[in-house]
Amino acid sequence: MKDDVFIRGKTPMTKEEVRAVALDKLQLKGAKRFLDVGAGTGSVSIQAAARYPNLAVTALERNEEALELIQLNKSKFALGNIEIISAYAPIMLSHSYDAIFIGGSGGKLAEIIEWSHNLLLPDGRLVLNFILLENLQEALNLLDDQKWSEIETVMLQASKLMKLGNGSFFKPQNPTYIISCCKKREEY
C-alpha cells in the first residue's frame, strides 16, 4: 500500500518500503493472529489486515492521536479484522499469536521482548524495527539467548526521486534496522 493512502497526522508511520520488508519477514500467510505493538498510525496493522482478511489483527498503541488515526484508517479501509487496544505494553492478553511486530517500545524493550516470547506460539515470528542504533544493539543483545532462532538483521535505506527546480534528486529516508527471528520450539 502506498503511504499516501493512509490518513496521517503527526504520528510516525512505518514507510511503505520498510513496511513491505517487515510484513514479508512476519510470514503472515496462513497465520491466524497477529499483534502490532506500538502501532502508530496503524499502517502495518492495516496493510496486514487488508492483505490477509482471515487474519485477526490486534493493534496496541498508547498515544491518543495515534489511536484515533488507527480507527480512522480502519474505517477508511472497512476492515473488520482489526482490534484496537489502548494500552502501554506489556499487558495481559488472552490470545497467543503467530507473529508480533514491534514498531515502538516506549523504553521497555526488554520487558516487551520477554512478553512477546510468552505470547508467541512455537515457531512464531517476531519482527522489530528501529531507527536508533542504540535500540538495535539492545535488541540484538536481548535476542542473543537460547529462546530465539533464525535471527536476521537488515538495514534498509530507501530514497524517493523528487523534483527540485528543473531537476530531480533522491530524497533519503532514515535508515531503518529490521530484526526478524523465530521463537524456538521447546525441546523435551
Side-chain angles (χ1 to χ4, degrees), residues 162-168:
M162 308 289 281
K163 294 288 185 192
L164 180 62
N166 292 329
S168 301

Side-chain angles (χ1 to χ4, degrees), residues 5 7 22 33 43 59 73 75 98 120 127 135 142 145 149 161 178:
V5 301
I7 300 169
R33 295 195 172 278
S43 64
N73 282 307
S75 297
D98 298 288
L120 279 170
V127 173
N135 290 346
L142 292 165
D145 63 24
S149 64
L161 190 65
I178 304 169

Side-chain angles (χ1 to χ4, degrees), residues 39-51:
T41 60
S43 64
V44 172
S45 292
I46 297 295
Q47 189 162 338
R51 184 179 295 168

Side-chain angles (χ1 to χ4, degrees), residues 57-169:
V57 176
T58 302
L60 183 64
E61 177 57 53
R62 63 185 184 166
N63 178 283
E64 288 300 321
E65 180 187 349
L67 288 161
E68 289 175 29
L69 288 170
I70 298 168
Q71 184 59 55
L72 288 170
N73 282 307
K74 175 184 173 183
S75 297
K76 177 182 179 178
F77 295 101
L79 296 168
N81 57 333
I82 298 178
E83 174 188 19
I84 302 168
I85 298 176
S86 173
Y88 288 78
I91 63 167
M92 290 294 298
L93 293 170
S94 57
H95 298 288
S96 293
Y97 295 87
D98 298 288
I100 297 175
F101 175 75
I102 299 176
S105 64
K108 296 183 176 183
L109 190 56
E111 296 93 334
I112 291 173
I113 288 175
E114 183 64 29
W115 171 71
S116 296
H117 185 270
N118 293 332
L119 289 173
L120 279 170
L121 294 167
D123 296 326
R125 304 287 304 170
L126 177 66
V127 173
L128 309 95
N129 279 11
F130 303 103
I131 60 170
L132 296 177
L133 283 168
E134 293 78 8
N135 290 346
L136 169 68
Q137 191 58 57
E138 180 184 359
L140 289 171
N141 291 338
L142 292 165
L143 294 169
D144 189 23
D145 63 24
Q146 301 304 311
K147 296 179 182 180
W148 303 97
S149 64
E150 301 176 33
I151 299 170
E152 179 182 63
T153 305
V154 297
M155 182 191 81
L156 182 65
Q157 174 135 24
S159 300
K160 290 207 177 195
L161 190 65
M162 308 289 281
K163 294 288 185 192
L164 180 62
N166 292 329
S168 301
F169 79 109

